[in-house]
Amino acid sequence: MPTKKSAYNLSKIAQNIKKRRLAMDLSREELAERAEVNYNTIIKLESGANQNPTISTMIGISEVFKIKIEDLLK
């Protein structure tokens, strides 16, 4: 059975989250708190270790950055 290819590039999400977090001068802890997600979630997302971020995580992060979720996927 062929494996399903992801519709988005996870490494791009990781890069975008880290880039935007640093541009806002936020620590990982601050982003986690504001996005209402676990600190380890931020670490795993930025490192690319989280292969399946939840929609609630993506919503929380995008709200902190004041962007659409789609902008994290580009």
Side-chain angles (χ1 to χ4, degrees), residues 21-34:
R21 177 179 64 78
L22 294 174
M24 290 182 70
D25 198 28
L26 294 173
S27 69
R28 288 176 173 158
E29 294 91 349
E30 290 169 321
L31 177 56
E33 186 176 308
R34 290 185 188 187

Side-chain angles (χ1 to χ4, degrees), residues 34-37 53-69 72:
R34 290 185 188 187
E36 298 181 2
V37 301
T54 66
I55 190 68
S56 61
T57 294
M58 297 301 287
I59 289 170
I61 292 170
S62 67
E63 286 177 351
V64 172
F65 294 152
K66 296 179 177 32
I67 60 172
K68 296 177 184 177
I69 292 174
L72 290 174

Side-chain angles (χ1 to χ4, degrees), residues 5-62:
K5 189 169 183 174
S6 178
Y8 53 87
N9 184 339
L10 191 64
S11 65
K12 200 68 162 165
I13 295 171
Q15 292 170 5
N16 286 337
I17 290 173
K18 186 171 184 177
K19 180 178 79 174
R20 289 176 186 275
R21 177 179 64 78
L22 294 174
M24 290 182 70
D25 198 28
L26 294 173
S27 69
R28 288 176 173 158
E29 294 91 349
E30 290 169 321
L31 177 56
E33 186 176 308
R34 290 185 188 187
E36 298 181 2
V37 301
N38 188 289
Y39 170 72
N40 288 327
T41 299
I42 301 300
I43 291 172
K44 289 178 181 176
L45 280 170
E46 285 191 359
S47 70
N50 184 339
Q51 297 292 315
N52 192 21
T54 66
I55 190 68
S56 61
T57 294
M58 297 301 287
I59 289 170
I61 292 170
S62 67

